[in-house]
């Protein structure tokens, strides 16, 4: 195992090969490019589609429609928001595609894009994204929904203790699969995603039967009359609804997290195509699922359904029959199938930037050829937030809290694309063949700005969904990151007489990771034998 300077000749050679292959490479440093990805190249077009579908077809469509209707007040606006969310996601997809074409060898998506778009002040944006991503990398929301549905299926009263125990158990099972085998976790994603799609297709088919008058629902069109009656104009309520619909579509970019593991000739084209196909399919399914909900369940009951709208739908249509018990099981399996394959790659890329303690552990793929360190980190953080937060408010608070700081990074990602274009033009590089139109960049940017500003306006009575000010907490996390950067990169080096430098370390499994070290100034080096010392724990 050797440690080389960040301008290691082999890393430069690989960068040169990328430039020849793509004709399009501009690097601002950061994590080194891995010539041979230690995670392998097992991702295909089908795997990419399933990874995106597996993330999007999670808890959202079964849990948030009731909360959204409670926020917007009318069925008409409910449908409008389910049409707006995929349009905003499409804008983001175009932005991600252009970024990916610039850095096709790097997994991690937004981790890489922000690192390259904002090289100055050095380490600032990567540190803020790294700390925020780690602190908010829990997978609690789907586990909570699984627990609620599982307890409902078996007619077990939902108590905070039971909800937490079941949620922790299902989270452990999912994380264990991702930690033990990439091949089998991808196979599990394919199988479980197939079940998810079938369950939604059956739900849409059931809605068609309701509308056709083939069920005992007496007036399936009642909620469709005066569809915009009761609509709210409160910006906070509208923003809350858009946060929830965006949550349901979260995952349209999941395949970009594993682009370095795609083995097709053009990984960017493969991932872009997979994202477009999955987003179109999910947008259609989600819209018609909401039509089914509205056809079968009275408006007031939808508003008060909390996260159990799907179970309420099945009970109203099928009663206590076999189907009424079986379909909620499929909903619970859908939540279980939301395996964190892509997110663990993003955490590994953060570790490879040298911004986590023990980067060797988090960047290594030993002993199973999987990102074991990031999986463990994600699980322990998930356990912490599920145990620490009140079970009653946990779902909505975690959903909103995780979304708010990410909106800041979405804004930075959109603006950073223009900055990168300018730098690439000055460097004489040709525009990307996947260049996003300005309208798509503005669509992604303005939707994120709207969601950042509107929640600060007080909600109408009865339309707030959590008792926490998640905006304040989210901004507090970002402010903490800024203070951490100021102390770690500016104040302590000034007091200690050293400069923070990057080195590249090659691990036994072939993985490459950056390591931040102290390079002492000549006067300080005299007392330290001129040796470099790790800035953070590395062994």
């Amino acid at each position: 195992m050797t440690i080389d300077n960040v301008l290691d000749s082999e890393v430069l050679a690989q960068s040169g090969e990328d430039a020849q292959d793509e004709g399009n490479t501009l690097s601002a440093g950061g994590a080194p490019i891995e010539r041979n990805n230690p995670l392998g190249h097992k991702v295909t077009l089908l795997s990419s589609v399933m990874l995106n579908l597996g993330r999007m077809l999670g808890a959202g469509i079964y849990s948030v429609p009731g909360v959204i209707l409670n926020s917007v007040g009318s069925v008409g606006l409910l449908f409008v928001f389910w049409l707006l969310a995929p349009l905003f996601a499409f804008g983001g997809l175009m932005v991600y595609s252009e970024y990916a074409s610039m850095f096709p060898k790097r997994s991690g998506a937004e981790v890489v894009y922000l690192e390259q778009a904002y090289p100055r002040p050095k380490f600032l944006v990567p540190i803020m994204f790294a700390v925020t991503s780690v602190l908010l990398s829990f997978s609690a929301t789907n586990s909570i929904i699984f627990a609620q549905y599982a307890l409902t299926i078996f007619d077990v009263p939902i108590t905070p203790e039971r909800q937490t125990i079941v949620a922790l158990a299902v989270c452990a099972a999912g994380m264990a699969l991702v930690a033990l085998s990439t091949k089998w976790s991808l196979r599990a994603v394919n199988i479980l995603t197939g079940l998810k799609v079938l369950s939604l297709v059956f739900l849409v088919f059931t809605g068609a039967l309701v509308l056709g008058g083939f069920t005992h629902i007496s007036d399936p069109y009642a909620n469709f009359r005066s569809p915009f009656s009761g609509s709210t104009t409160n910006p906070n309520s509208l923003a809350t609804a858009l946060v929830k619909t965006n949550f349901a579509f979260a995952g349209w970019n999941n395949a970009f997290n594993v682009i370095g593991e795609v083995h097709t000739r053009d990984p960017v084209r493969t991932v872009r195509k997979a994202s477009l196909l999955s987003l179109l399919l999910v947008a259609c399914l989600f819209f018609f699922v909401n039509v089914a909900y509205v056809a079968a369940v009275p408006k007031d009951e939808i508003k008060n359904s909390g996260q159990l709208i799907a179970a309420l739908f099945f009970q109203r249509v099928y009663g206590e029959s076999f189907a009424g018990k079986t379909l909620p099981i499929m909903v619970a399996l859908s939540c279980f199938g939301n395996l964190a394959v892509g997110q663990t790659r993003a955490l590994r890329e953060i570790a490879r930037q040298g911004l986590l303690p023990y980067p060797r552990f988090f960047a290594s793929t030993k002993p199973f050829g999987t990102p074991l360190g990031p999986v463990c980190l994600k699980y322990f953080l998930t356990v912490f937030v599920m145990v620490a937060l009140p079970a009653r408010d946990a779902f909505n608070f975690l959903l909103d809290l995780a979304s708010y700081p990410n909106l800041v990074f979405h804004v930075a990602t959109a603006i950073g694309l223009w900055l990168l274009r300018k730098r690439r033009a000055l460097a004489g590089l040709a525009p990307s063949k996947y260049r996003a139109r300005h309208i798509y960049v503005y669509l992604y940017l303005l939707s994120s700005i709207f969601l950042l500003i509107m929640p600060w306006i007080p909600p109408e009575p009865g339309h707030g969904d959590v008792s926490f000010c998640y905006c304040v907490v989210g901004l507090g996390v970002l402010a903490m990151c800024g203070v951490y950067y100021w102390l770690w990169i500016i104040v302590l080096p000034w007091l200690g007489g050293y400069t923070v430098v990057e080195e590249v370390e090659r691990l036994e499994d072939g993985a490459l990771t950056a390591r931040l070290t102290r390079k002492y100034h000549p006067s300080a080096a005299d007392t330290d034998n001129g040796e470099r010392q790790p800035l953070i724990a590395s062994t």
Side-chain angles (χ1 to χ4, degrees), residues 113 171 183 189 202 208 215 223 233 271 291 319 326 394 414 487 502 526:
Y113 309 154
C171 182
K183 178 188 295 186
V189 167
F202 191 90
T215 67
N223 288 336
T233 57
V271 170
V291 171
T326 301
L487 290 173
E502 295 173 287
D526 292 339

Side-chain angles (χ1 to χ4, degrees), residues 285-490:
L285 286 174
F286 281 4
F287 182 82
F288 289 111
V289 165
N290 277 272
V291 171
Y293 289 156
V294 172
V297 184
K299 179 178 175 180
D300 290 338
E301 291 188 28
I302 297 176
K303 285 184 176 182
N304 298 322
S305 64
Q307 286 88 50
L308 297 176
I309 175 60
L312 182 61
F313 170 83
F314 293 136
Q315 288 172 7
R316 286 192 62 85
V317 176
Y318 295 105
E320 297 299 323
S321 66
F322 176 77
K325 288 291 186 181
T326 301
L327 292 181
I329 294 176
M330 298 181 70
V331 175
L333 286 175
S334 189
C335 297
F336 173 73
N338 203 331
L339 299 178
V341 177
Q343 303 96 305
T344 56
R345 269 58 177 180
L347 289 177
R348 180 178 180 269
E349 200 66 21
I350 289 172
R352 292 200 324 110
Q353 292 175 329
L355 301 177
L356 293 182
Y358 309 103
R360 296 177 188 172
F361 172 69
F362 288 109
S364 174
T365 60
K366 296 178 68 176
F368 306 114
T370 61
L372 180 61
V375 172
C376 293
L377 175 62
K378 192 173 180 67
Y379 176 70
F380 286 120
L381 285 170
T382 300
V383 171
F384 173 77
V385 296
M386 282 196 288
V387 171
L389 287 176
R392 180 178 60 87
D393 287 328
F395 176 80
N396 284 312
F397 177 64
L398 292 176
L399 192 160
D400 294 335
L401 173 61
S403 67
Y404 198 79
N406 285 333
L407 291 170
V408 176
F409 294 120
H410 294 342
V411 171
T413 301
I415 296 174
L417 186 62
W418 287 319
L419 299 178
L420 267 178
R421 285 178 180 176
K422 182 177 180 181
R423 285 169 47 204
R424 290 166 60 82
L426 293 175
L429 296 176
S432 167
K433 66 178 180 178
Y434 297 107
R435 184 181 179 92
R437 295 182 180 180
H438 287 301
I439 188 173
Y440 299 141
V441 183
Y442 279 117
L443 191 64
Y444 189 55
L445 174 63
L446 294 178
S447 65
S448 300
I449 292 176
F450 173 80
L451 291 174
L452 281 173
I453 296 175
M454 292 302 103
W456 292 95
I457 299 175
E460 295 174 322
H463 290 275
D465 63 349
V466 293
S467 57
F468 300 88
C469 189
Y470 68 91
C471 301
V472 174
V473 177
L475 290 180
V477 171
L478 293 176
M480 181 185 68
C481 296
V483 173
Y484 175 67
Y485 168 83
W486 180 70
L487 290 173
W488 188 41
I489 302 298
I490 297 177

Side-chain angles (χ1 to χ4, degrees), residues 84-96:
L84 284 177
L87 290 178
F88 295 145
F90 179 76
L93 195 160
M94 295 296 103
V95 171
Y96 269 55

